C-alpha cells in the first residue's frame, strides 16, 4: 500500500510497531518524490495512539488506511482475557481510535477512511478464529456507522474485505500451525476449492483497491464492503 500510494504522489505517515521494517520501507520509497515519515506505535496502547496524533497535529492526513492486524489461531476454550484484549486492541480498538482522531481533526474538511476487514467476518471458514472473526466484524460495523453519521461532513468510509492473500504473516502462521501438527495442506486445499480464480491473491491486489477507494474514482462509494478475495464469498 505504501508503494502504491507513494507512486501516486501521496506523502506518507507510516505507522507500525516494527521500526526496522518501517525504515526499510522508507528506504524503498526513496525513489518517489514524496515525504515519508515513520512512527513506531504499539497499537495496544491508547497513550501511544494519542501521542501519534499529537505529533501529527497541524498536518493530519486526509486519507487514513487502517491495515494493522493479527491473525493468531487459538481455540475458543483456550482464549484468556489477556489474549483477547491484545487481539481486540490491534484489530478493532486501535481502528476505532484512529478513526475518531481522523474525524475530530478533520471535522470541517472531511477525508477518506479505508479499513481492512476479512472474509472471516462474513463467512467464518476456519476453526479457532472466533476472536479474529469478532474483531473484523466490528471493523465492518464501525466503518458503516461512520459512513452513515459523517458522510454529510465530507468523510467517505469503506471496508476492503481481503481473503486468501499470501502475506508474510500468513506464511508465518502456516509454519507455526504445521509445527503444532496441524494439517495445513488440507486446510489449503479446502480453501482453494472455494476460490473461482483458482489462486491466492497478491498484497498488491489489495493495495490497488485501497488506492482506488482513496481516489475520486470512488467518489460515490460509501459504507461499502469491497471483497478482494478471488470470488471466495461468491461460492
Amino acid at each position: 500500500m505504501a508503494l502504491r500510494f507513494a507512486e501516486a504522489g501521496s506523502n506518507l505517515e507510516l505507522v507500525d510497531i516494527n521500526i526496522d521494517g518501517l525504515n526499510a520501507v522508507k528506504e524503498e520509497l526513496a525513489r518517489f518524490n514524496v515525504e515519508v515519515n515513520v512512527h513506531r506505535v504499539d497499537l495496544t496502547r491508547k497513550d501511544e495512539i494519542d501521542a501519534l496524533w499529537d505529533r501529527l497535529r497541524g498536518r493530519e492526513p486526509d486519507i487514513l488506511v487502517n491495515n494493522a492486524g493479527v491473525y493468531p489461531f487459538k481455540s475458543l476454550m483456550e482464549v484468556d482475557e489477556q489474549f483477547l484484549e491484545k487481539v481486540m486492541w490491534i484489530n478493532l480498538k486501535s481502528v476505532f481510535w484512529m478513526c475518531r482522531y481522523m474525524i475530530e481533526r478533520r471535522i470541517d474538511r472531511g477525508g477518506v477512511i479505508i479499513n481492512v476487514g476479512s472474509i472471516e467476518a462474513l463467512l467464518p471458514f476456519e476453526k479457532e478464529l472466533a476472536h479474529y472473526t469478532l474483531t473484523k466484524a466490528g471493523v465492518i460495523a464501525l466503518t458503516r456507522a461512520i459512513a452513515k453519521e459523517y458522510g454529510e461532513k465530507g468523510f467517505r468510509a469503506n471496508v476492503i474485505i481481503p481473503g486468501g492473500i499470501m502475506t508474510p504473516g500468513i506464511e508465518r502462521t502456516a509454519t507455526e500451525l504445521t509445527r503444532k501438527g496441524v494439517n495445513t495442506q488440507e486446510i489449503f486445499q479446502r480453501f482453494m476449492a472455494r476460490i473461482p480464480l483458482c489462486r491466492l491473491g497478491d498484497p498488491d491486489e489489495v493495495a490497488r483497491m485501497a488506492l482506488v477507494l482513496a481516489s475520486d474514482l470512488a467518489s460515490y462509494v460509501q459504507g461499502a464492503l469491497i471483497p478482494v478475495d478471488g470470488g471466495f464469498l461468491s461460492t
Side-chain angles (χ1 to χ4, degrees):
M1 287 186 182
L3 287 165
R4 284 295 178 181
F5 275 86
E7 182 184 46
S10 295
N11 296 325
L12 296 168
E13 305 288 342
L14 302 180
V15 178
D16 200 287
I17 196 171
N18 179 359
I19 191 64
D20 292 334
L22 286 174
N23 286 326
V25 172
K26 183 175 181 177
E27 288 182 18
E28 191 174 356
L29 298 176
R31 67 182 187 270
F32 301 105
N33 187 28
V34 297
E35 178 183 346
V36 180
N37 299 306
V38 297
H39 308 271
R40 186 199 178 279
V41 178
D42 181 349
L43 291 172
T44 68
R45 294 177 57 94
K46 171 68 162 47
D47 59 336
E48 293 198 18
I49 296 173
D50 295 342
L52 167 68
W53 285 91
D54 284 343
R55 293 195 296 274
L56 293 176
R57 188 176 296 278
R59 54 187 180 91
E60 294 87 356
D62 58 351
I63 301 165
L64 171 65
V65 180
N66 286 306
N67 188 40
V70 290
Y71 189 72
F73 282 70
K74 190 178 281 284
S75 165
L76 182 69
M77 298 298 106
E78 296 177 353
V79 170
D80 57 28
E81 185 175 4
Q82 183 179 7
F83 176 88
L84 179 61
E85 191 67 7
K86 180 177 180 179
V87 176
M88 287 285 288
W89 260 108
I90 297 173
N91 289 5
L92 179 58
K93 290 185 178 181
S94 68
V95 177
F96 178 93
W97 290 114
M98 293 291 283
C99 289
R100 181 195 179 281
Y101 268 117
M102 171 75 163
I103 293 168
E104 177 186 46
R105 296 289 182 82
R106 298 188 57 88
I107 194 64
D108 297 323
R109 294 173 288 170
V112 174
I113 295 173
I114 301 166
N115 293 327
V116 178
S118 170
I119 55 173
E120 287 286 340
L122 300 174
L123 183 62
F125 178 77
E126 198 47 59
K127 299 176 181 178
E128 300 190 349
L129 286 174
H131 47 279
Y132 177 81
T133 301
L134 166 67
T135 59
K136 290 303 185 177
V139 167
I140 292 172
L142 171 65
T143 309
R144 301 184 83 172
I146 288 171
K148 169 117 174 49
E149 188 169 353
Y150 292 97
E152 64 183 10
K153 295 291 187 180
F155 290 93
R156 285 198 302 106
N158 294 289
V159 191
I160 297 177
I161 310 292
I165 308 299
M166 182 50 71
T167 66
I170 294 298
E171 292 176 352
R172 287 193 299 270
T173 297
T175 300
E176 180 182 341
L177 289 175
T178 300
R179 200 179 302 125
K180 291 180 178 179
V182 176
N183 188 341
T184 53
Q185 189 63 32
E186 179 187 348
I187 295 174
F188 177 75
Q189 289 173 348
R190 284 194 291 111
F191 189 86
M192 290 298 295
R194 285 194 61 99
I195 302 180
L197 287 186
C198 304
R199 66 174 178 84
L200 294 178
D202 186 88
D204 187 52
E205 293 177 291
V206 180
R208 295 198 300 267
M209 182 54 66
L211 189 63
V212 169
L213 288 174
S215 75
D216 287 341
L217 292 172
S219 57
Y220 201 56
V221 180
Q222 177 75 326
L225 281 58
I226 312 293
V228 183
D229 66 350
F232 179 94
L233 291 174
S234 71
T235 60

